[in-house]
Amino acid sequence: MIQAGNPSRRRSPVALGLLVGWLAVPPVVAQEAVPEQLTLAAALRIAETQSPVFRAARHVVDVARAEVRTALRRPNPVVVIEGEEYSPLASDRRSFWTDQALIVRFQQEIETAGRRRHRIRSADAGVAVARAETADARRRLQLAVGRTYFALALAQADRAVATAALEEIERVIALTEARFTAGEVAGVELRRLDVERLSFVDQALTTDLAVRTARAALLGLLGAADLDQPVEAADPLQAAPLRGSDGRPIATAEGMAVGVASLREEAAAARPDLRAARRARERADSEVLRERALRAPSVTAGWGYRRDFGRHAMDFALSIPVPLFGALNPGGVPRAEAERRRLAALEDAADIAVAVELQQAVDAVEVSAERVRYVEEEYLRGAEEARDLVQASYELGETALIDFLDAQREFRATQRVRNQALYDLRISLIELAAAIGVPYSGQP
């Protein structure tokens, strides 16, 4: 019972248990609200804070640090108490303490061949691997958030095109109804417009579903609790330049600004998965040395006190394992060497994969930039001028309905092609940033 000051104010064991339990519960960190107008930079910040996948990746470092604490520990000493030659059935039996040889010995295992040093070095390398893997998890999270964010931006742009086209066809239907009432057009044109309206409504509903799907995917990556909350991508589809760690431009909306050779050097230094592969191979080197050290026998030394039927003496012991039936740790060294060879091969494979990924990303940037230029300069302008001309002629009664509908379809398709081209360029820049290992905020 705990009593503080006044005897009348006592805490019951149940209340004390509840208090201790409440103090032991870690505080719940409030989630950051996702703003309705969301920029890519804000999305990346929220994802790193709230994404459960990335939180799990960060705990890998804590696990590796705990392994270091275990590696630092030395073997604990052992206290041995032995009794010899005690005969409880003897007729002349004396007391328990004086009728036997009593030994109290302190024993300590002595690690040989530097096995503790190699164990610590291996654990330290494990921390370096965990940190690199966590950084690579951040890189992959940024890539996923960037792709999903601009998938939402593309869906919003397509929905805007479909909504504008539906509003335009509604206006033309109202105009045609007025002209039909005045006897200027036949009823077949009005019915044709009503049928055509279905495709515009269907396109508007399809793009709205695409917006909702992309929004839910993005909110899921951000760790949001409500996947139906209103969120809009505030950054436009138009590409912002990608800059290196030193601030120099790497790629812009016009294409690449540097060569692939320099990007390979930067990727070799910046890519966290390459660092993880190198650290894993270095850890394997330490494991080989540790396994070799385990082939040397450990020595256990003991010193203590001996009381032999009333006589006092010192006691010594030395224990050394004898490899009578084979060498110590026979399979550890071959296993560690095979693991080192495996990780060295994986390191080479990672270098090749990064080179391929980088080349593909550079090619995608070049082709996407050329595609955006062609669509905007050679295709979009002409389709818009043709749409405006045919629409004005149709409103004056000088153009057939079929020509007006064809011009509307072509202009709408051209706008969607342009949106897709801008999206592809944005994604290619995001993938190039991930291939190099530098962040991409999407800001000018």
Side-chain angles (χ1 to χ4, degrees):
M1 185 70 66
I2 296 178
Q3 179 176 343
N6 192 345
S8 63
R9 299 182 61 186
R10 296 180 176 179
R11 298 183 186 270
S12 67
V14 175
L16 179 61
L18 292 176
L19 177 60
V20 173
W22 178 78
L23 292 175
V25 175
V28 178
V29 180
Q31 284 193 332
E32 180 178 354
V34 180
E36 185 172 346
Q37 293 295 322
L38 182 66
T39 63
L40 177 60
L44 293 174
R45 186 189 68 253
I46 295 173
E48 290 189 18
T49 303
Q50 300 181 174
S51 171
V53 176
F54 187 61
R55 289 206 312 269
R58 288 202 301 263
H59 291 314
V60 175
V61 179
D62 299 331
V63 174
R65 288 173 178 166
E67 294 293 335
V68 173
R69 294 182 60 185
T70 302
L72 287 170
R73 294 187 60 184
R74 297 181 183 275
N76 285 321
V78 177
V79 176
V80 179
I81 301 176
E82 297 179 356
E84 297 179 356
E85 303 181 26
Y86 175 68
S87 179
L89 302 179
S91 59
D92 58 345
R93 179 172 57 87
R94 293 176 292 178
S95 68
F96 176 82
W97 301 107
T98 60
D99 199 25
Q100 64 176 319
L102 183 64
I103 304 170
V104 180
R105 184 185 304 123
F106 178 89
Q107 296 184 170
Q108 175 66 50
E109 178 185 354
I110 302 173
E111 295 184 292
T112 59
R115 61 179 63 182
R116 179 174 179 270
R117 181 178 69 255
H118 298 313
R119 184 173 67 242
I120 295 173
R121 185 177 300 172
S122 177
D124 288 338
V127 173
V129 172
R131 287 174 176 168
E133 289 178 347
T134 302
D136 190 58
R138 179 184 291 108
R139 180 187 69 90
R140 288 184 276 108
L141 177 65
Q142 291 174 348
L143 176 60
V145 170
R147 286 171 172 168
T148 310
Y149 180 89
F150 284 107
L152 176 60
L154 173 62
Q156 290 175 182
D158 287 343
R159 183 178 63 179
V161 171
T163 302
L166 180 60
E167 292 174 354
E168 185 64 28
I169 201 68
E170 295 282 6
R171 190 184 67 81
V172 171
I173 288 175
L175 175 62
T176 304
E177 287 177 346
R179 292 173 63 186
F180 172 73
T181 303
E184 298 179 3
V185 297
V188 65
E189 287 198 6
L190 185 58
R191 288 193 294 273
R192 177 69 182 275
L193 278 174
D194 285 336
V195 172
E196 192 69 25
R197 181 179 181 274
L198 176 61
S199 66
F200 286 84
V201 172
D202 180 71
Q203 190 65 47
L205 293 175
T206 301
T207 55
D208 185 65
L209 177 60
V211 168
R212 296 186 182 191
T213 302
R215 180 181 61 196
L218 179 60
L219 289 173
L221 282 175
L222 301 185
D226 183 9
L227 300 183
D228 194 34
Q229 65 183 90
V231 171
E232 291 187 359
D235 291 357
L237 283 174
Q238 284 77 7
L242 170 63
R243 301 184 183 277
S245 55
D246 56 356
R248 63 188 177 97
I250 294 177
T252 63
E254 287 73 30
M256 295 299 302
V258 297
V260 179
S262 62
L263 294 182
R264 287 178 180 173
E265 296 178 359
E266 186 167 358
R271 282 283 292 251
D273 52 345
L274 293 183
R275 289 203 307 274
R278 289 194 294 267
R279 299 303 186 191
R281 194 250 309 150
E282 293 172 1
R283 183 182 185 183
D285 295 338
S286 299
E287 282 295 311
V288 169
L289 296 176
R290 188 178 72 88
E291 294 292 341
R292 288 177 179 172
L294 291 176
R295 293 188 301 187
S298 291
V299 178
T300 302
W303 175 86
Y305 162 78
R306 181 184 184 95
R307 179 176 178 177
D308 193 358
F309 297 98
R311 292 183 302 171
H312 304 279
M314 297 180 63
D315 183 80
F316 298 94
L318 188 65
S319 174
I320 302 176
V322 178
L324 183 60
F325 300 104
L328 300 178
N329 195 27
V333 174
R335 182 178 63 250
E337 290 178 345
E339 180 68 10
R340 178 175 60 180
R341 291 191 297 269
R342 187 184 73 88
L343 292 175
L346 289 179
E347 183 181 0
D348 295 338
D351 290 335
I352 296 174
V354 168
V356 172
E357 183 180 342
L358 187 60
Q359 185 63 54
Q360 291 175 342
V362 169
D363 293 340
V365 170
E366 292 286 0
V367 173
S368 298
E370 180 63 28
R371 184 185 179 196
V372 169
R373 284 195 298 269
Y374 176 77
V375 171
E376 290 184 342
E377 297 175 4
E378 303 293 337
Y379 197 40
L380 181 63
R381 188 180 306 169
E384 185 176 8
E385 292 175 353
R387 191 280 309 264
D388 294 341
L389 180 61
V390 172
Q391 181 174 336
S393 299
Y394 176 76
E395 292 176 356
L396 294 175
E398 299 175 356
T399 302
L401 176 62
I402 187 66
D403 295 332
F404 167 73
L405 293 177
D406 287 343
Q408 282 285 357
R409 291 193 197 95
E410 182 178 355
F411 179 63
R412 183 177 58 182
T414 304
Q415 286 182 305
R416 298 196 65 182
V417 169
R418 175 178 178 267
N419 291 340
Q420 185 66 44
L422 291 173
Y423 167 79
D424 290 341
L425 179 56
R426 271 283 198 177
I427 295 302
S428 64
L429 290 173
I430 292 174
E431 292 177 346
L432 178 60
I436 300 172
V438 296
Y440 179 66
S441 64
Q443 300 300 318

